[in-house]
Amino acid sequence: MQSFRQNPTAPAFVQDPYPAYEAMRSLGPVLRWEDYDMPVAVGYAATSDILKNRALGREAPPEFAPQIPAHLAPFYAVEAHSMLELEAPRHTRLRGLVLRAFTSRRIAGMGAEIDALCHDLIDRFPAGEFDLLPHYAQKIPVIVIARLLGVPEEMAEDLLAWSNAMVGMYQAGRTRADEDRAVSATEAFVAFMRGYVDTRRAHPGDDLISELIAAEMDGDRLSEDELITTCILLLNAGHEATVHTMGNGVATLIGQHAVDALIADPVNTVEEILRFDPPLHMFTRWVYADVEIAGHRFRRGDQVAALLAAANRDPDRFDAPAMFRPDRAAGQNLSFGAGPHFCVGAPLARLELQIALPILFQRMPGLALAETPRYADVYHFHGLKSLMVRAG
Ligand code: HEM
């Protein structure tokens, strides 16, 4: 297996990781990323195999489970019930119960509300140059997921702050200060959710939390801890990635002069935005049983990574992958993952993007970038630091 060196926190890489992904792919579909000391898949077929193959999964085999330092215990106590970190049978059970409440009818029913929310936010845009992220891209996903779960919208700022601090645990080269921030945020989030779930248990409403409390499969329900973790997972996963896809998407649409394509065909254009510049690039898996991927053998206890954003630009799968082409056939990118952990929120994220992006450009036809946008200096989320725009 060939190896490659690339500091994941190097500013030039964080701003534009795609040339490095191309250089990696020229060495083979799977290679060792020295800085992570881990094999990574950069080809489409190998990435897809890693995500779908049942010989691999998110949960560490028990004999390889990392020791958790005492100061991180509150964070991992929540992760211990997260479907994203589990495999069958617990993963199947948790995911099944969530899907029971998170129905396509409930998601589709949000369309009119998302539409109205977008118009309302645009009505309140400041005059002159302003940052579109806090005024639009951050507001929509967090308000939508809060409403869907039945959490008061006034909590949006706290939810954003807790969630930002918690995902800091996934950043390359995290510090003790990042860890302490993540733990404090976890404790505050859990305390809030515990109280809130109790209120909903006593007074059920027409919201996802009440449905999750009631959701039952074969006589089985979510325990209190599972319920709290699931709500935190949905609230966190439910906005971070969508915010960044919306920001990256606006920058791409303006930069690539693709606004007309968006208005003509929002569905395919949103798929191309997801393929071209996704918010989440890297996911890891543990190996459970000896397995061969792209000609390389892996053993129980090995860890491998899937580089979704590199797979999305594999020329064996996409013609001229570095070009932004909204008329590509939809539905092939790996930005929502694949296999058992395929994103539960994909239909909601797609709906939000397909509604919010066209409304923005219809209401502000000459919307222009006021500054060259820069990505935030982190690798765990590929999203913009700010997106300064002005009306045309
Ligand atoms: C554009 C926006 C989004 C992107 C790019 C995205 C991406 C992903 C990816 C790549 C995974 C799989 C991770 C893995 O295989 O290890 C995933 C899982 C997940 N996502 Fe999303 N997501 C988005 C929006 C959402 C939303 C809106 C929600 C909730 C409302 C959500 C909830 C989840 C959950 C619960 C999982 C775990 C599924 C499981 O483990 O079975 N996501 N997402």
Side-chain angles (χ1 to χ4, degrees):
M1 184 181 299
Q2 305 249 31
S3 57
F4 192 85
R5 269 194 186 282
Q6 172 61 61
N7 175 357
T9 59
F13 173 74
V14 168
Q15 291 307 315
D16 182 8
Y18 299 105
Y21 293 162
E22 215 169 297
M24 286 168 145
R25 206 179 314 94
S26 71
L27 300 175
V30 177
L31 61 145
R32 174 163 289 278
W33 189 343
E34 292 294 343
D35 306 70
Y36 280 101
D37 192 21
M38 203 185 279
V40 292
V42 289
Y44 187 96
T47 302
S48 173
D49 194 8
I50 285 176
L51 297 173
K52 291 180 181 165
N53 198 316
R54 296 295 184 134
L56 301 101
R58 293 282 294 174
E59 205 174 338
E63 71 277 26
F64 290 96
Q67 283 288 327
I68 293 172
H71 73 283
L72 295 178
F75 179 84
Y76 286 104
V78 170
E79 295 267 291
H81 303 290
S82 166
M83 78 174 92
L84 186 54
E85 305 303 334
L86 296 170
E87 290 303 321
R90 281 196 72 200
H91 172 263
T92 323
R93 176 177 159 270
L94 285 174
R95 190 175 163 109
L97 283 162
V98 167
L99 288 177
R100 228 150 238 242
F102 209 70
T103 58
S104 43
R105 197 165 49 86
R106 181 174 277 277
I107 302 305
M110 297 292 292
E113 242 186 275
I114 298 172
D115 195 292
L117 173 63
C118 294
H119 283 289
D120 184 41
L121 291 170
I122 295 171
D123 289 341
R124 288 189 274 143
F125 277 173
E129 292 180 5
F130 66 98
D131 186 352
L132 195 71
L133 294 186
H135 287 95
Y136 199 66
Q138 278 174 2
K139 285 266 177 349
I140 297 163
V142 77
I143 292 177
V144 168
I145 194 68
R147 283 187 187 167
L148 196 62
L149 276 144
V151 171
E153 263 169 70
E154 308 82 78
M155 292 300 297
E157 289 301 317
D158 287 310
L159 298 177
L160 276 171
W162 291 334
S163 162
N164 283 332
M166 287 178 77
V167 298
M169 283 293 285
Y170 301 108
Q171 84 188 43
R174 70 172 194 233
T175 61
R176 174 67 194 243
D178 294 326
E179 294 180 348
D180 290 345
R181 254 193 305 275
V183 167
S184 310
T186 308
E187 285 170 336
F189 211 154
V190 168
F192 165 72
M193 280 317 306
R194 214 174 276 288
Y196 200 69
V197 163
D198 284 348
T199 314
R200 276 287 171 261
R201 224 186 265 288
H203 308 284
D206 178 26
D207 55 60
L208 202 64
I209 293 185
S210 303
E211 278 195 38
L212 284 171
I213 291 171
E216 201 173 271
M217 224 166 48
D218 305 329
D220 183 25
R221 290 182 183 217
L222 293 170
S223 71
E224 172 95 358
D225 286 342
E226 288 170 344
L227 193 59
I228 285 165
T229 293
T230 300
C231 292
I232 293 178
L233 173 65
L234 289 171
L235 284 163
N236 285 356
H239 73 271
E240 293 273 357
T242 316
V243 169
H244 295 308
T245 309
M246 212 176 280
N248 298 0
V250 169
T252 301
L253 290 165
I254 297 176
Q256 300 278 339
H257 309 288
V259 172
D260 290 347
L262 170 78
I263 306 293
D265 185 352
V267 173
N268 281 318
T269 307
V270 163
E271 285 315 296
E272 181 65 349
I273 286 170
L274 283 158
R275 181 196 73 84
F276 188 74
D277 200 20
L280 302 168
H281 287 200
M282 184 170 172
F283 284 91
T284 56
R285 292 291 188 267
W286 288 91
V287 176
Y288 301 137
D290 290 2
V291 65
E292 191 174 305
I293 290 159
H296 298 284
R297 293 205 65 77
F298 296 98
R299 292 216 186 97
R300 181 174 174 85
D302 286 347
Q303 279 188 282
V304 295
L307 275 187
L308 313 182
N312 281 350
R313 293 198 180 204
D314 182 345
D316 284 348
R317 181 73 186 202
F318 301 99
D319 281 345
M323 309 233 339
F324 184 77
R325 281 196 189 153
D327 59 349
R328 281 179 203 278
Q332 294 177 324
N333 66 71
L334 291 179
S335 300
F336 288 117
H341 291 279
F342 179 80
C343 178
V344 163
L348 177 62
R350 286 186 165 123
L351 184 70
E352 289 178 35
L353 294 161
Q354 289 163 10
I355 293 175
L357 290 170
I359 289 180
L360 175 68
F361 286 103
Q362 273 156 349
R363 290 279 310 270
M364 309 198 68
L367 191 74
L369 298 178
E371 280 173 14
T372 307
R374 285 189 62 76
Y375 291 87
D377 282 332
V378 290
Y379 183 54
H380 62 295
F381 267 109
H382 183 66
L384 298 172
K385 200 178 173 122
S386 64
L387 181 53
M388 294 304 293
V389 294
R390 61 165 169 266

